[in-house]
Amino acid sequence: MSSDDLLQQRTARGAFWATIEVWGVEILQFLVFAVLARVLGPGAYGIVGLAILPVLVVNVFVMQGGWIEFIVRNRGRVVEQVNTVFWVVVVLGLLLAAAVVASAPLMARAFETPELVVLVPWLAICPALMSLSVVPAALLQREINLAPFAIRSTLSVAVAGSIGIWLALSGYGVWSLIVYEITIPLVGATVLWTAVNWRPHARVSIKHFSEAIRFSSSVLGERVIALTETLGPRAAIGATHGAIAVGHWTLARKIFDLSADLMQRPAL
């Protein structure tokens, strides 16, 4: 079988698994959201909607910072390059997680929501977990091996949703959503690491470090602007009308986004 035939087969399988991932996750998210929204109401969603703001900001620099594209575009498997990106992103994830923790008192005062002092530091776990998924995700994308992504997305929402619903029904309130948010990147990182043979070691390169930083800087501007447009309304509502208003806005936006995604997604 020629290399072109193999590439076509990989592409076809990738499209199939991408569709499974999209539809499976969207449907699961909608079901989990419907149950949690019914049990918890807008108050809990509003508080977590504010608490997760700094996590969504730092996620741009971790998962969307261009690190995956940097590895994927280089077809040759350079050991030092992959290791360098891994350690850069992990250290970045830890530093940004510390920044999220430090932001908790400021956010509590800015939004007049004392609960944020306790909740935000717990959500700071998410950037550290997300950073662990970057290199495995890049290696799988470079091989057009998308089945692990479908498994990751579906399993993480299923596990996180099950735990979150159980906690909500048990009366844990806002903590149900906190555990849900932490469980998703935890399960996701575990699945991706089981799907790749690569493991990190200490071989790094200043050359690849400089190249990765330059590439990341070239793509971050547009993504930060897009994030500002997305999170701006939530922050403005929280500052002017409080957490419950954010909850109502979050619930309405979530219903719209999930419904629109389900209508727009193609099926194979």
Side-chain angles (χ1 to χ4, degrees):
M1 184 178 294
S2 68
S3 59
D4 289 340
D5 291 335
L6 286 173
L7 180 59
Q8 288 179 359
Q9 285 189 1
R10 285 186 177 182
T11 303
R13 286 197 299 267
F16 170 79
W17 282 109
T19 302
I20 295 298
E21 175 186 9
V22 167
W23 277 90
V25 171
E26 294 292 350
I27 293 172
L28 273 176
Q29 282 187 331
F30 194 89
L31 293 174
V32 171
F33 166 74
V35 176
L36 289 177
R38 175 65 177 173
V39 175
L40 299 176
Y45 268 92
I47 293 173
V48 175
L50 293 174
I52 206 170
L53 281 174
V55 175
L56 296 177
V57 172
V58 303
N59 181 47
V60 172
F61 297 90
V62 178
M63 289 301 295
Q64 302 176 38
W67 316 109
I68 292 177
E69 294 92 332
F70 176 72
I71 293 176
V72 170
R73 71 171 189 161
N74 293 284
R75 304 301 300 177
R77 191 178 180 113
V78 181
V79 175
E80 289 84 358
Q81 177 202 73
V82 176
N83 278 284
T84 300
V85 172
F86 173 79
W87 291 114
V88 167
V89 175
V90 167
V91 171
L92 179 63
L94 292 174
L95 292 175
L96 291 175
V100 171
V101 173
S103 73
L106 298 175
M107 292 190 62
R109 288 196 296 270
F111 295 113
E112 298 181 353
T113 307
E115 295 91 338
L116 297 182
V117 173
V118 177
L119 299 178
V120 171
W122 279 99
L123 288 175
I125 298 172
C126 294
L129 293 174
M130 292 173 185
S131 69
L132 296 176
S133 295
V134 171
V135 168
L139 296 176
L140 290 168
Q141 283 191 26
R142 192 162 65 177
E143 299 301 324
I144 320 181
N145 182 7
L146 303 186
F149 291 103
I151 297 171
R152 174 199 64 174
S153 300
T154 306
L155 188 61
S156 61
V157 174
V159 173
S162 299
I163 296 174
I165 290 172
W166 175 73
L167 290 174
L169 293 174
S170 300
Y172 285 90
V174 69
W175 288 102
S176 310
L177 297 176
I178 298 296
V179 173
Y180 174 84
E181 295 293 342
I182 295 173
T183 304
I184 285 182
L186 175 60
V187 175
T190 302
V191 171
L192 293 186
W193 275 95
T194 60
V196 295
N197 295 322
W198 176 86
R199 293 295 180 267
H201 51 73
R203 293 176 61 184
V204 297
S205 165
I206 297 298
K207 173 187 174 183
H208 294 307
F209 170 78
S210 300
E211 291 176 350
I213 295 297
R214 285 198 300 271
F215 185 85
S216 175
S217 301
S218 68
V219 302
L220 270 176
E222 179 182 350
R223 296 175 183 181
V224 170
I225 293 173
L227 178 72
T228 302
E229 294 175 351
T230 302
L231 300 186
R234 186 187 302 186
I237 293 171
T240 57
H241 298 287
I244 294 180
V246 173
H248 286 291
W249 182 87
T250 302
L251 293 176
R253 182 61 186 263
K254 191 73 171 178
I255 293 172
F256 172 80
D257 288 342
L258 288 173
S259 301
D261 286 341
L262 287 173
M263 293 295 293
Q264 295 173 8
R265 298 298 186 182
L268 292 179

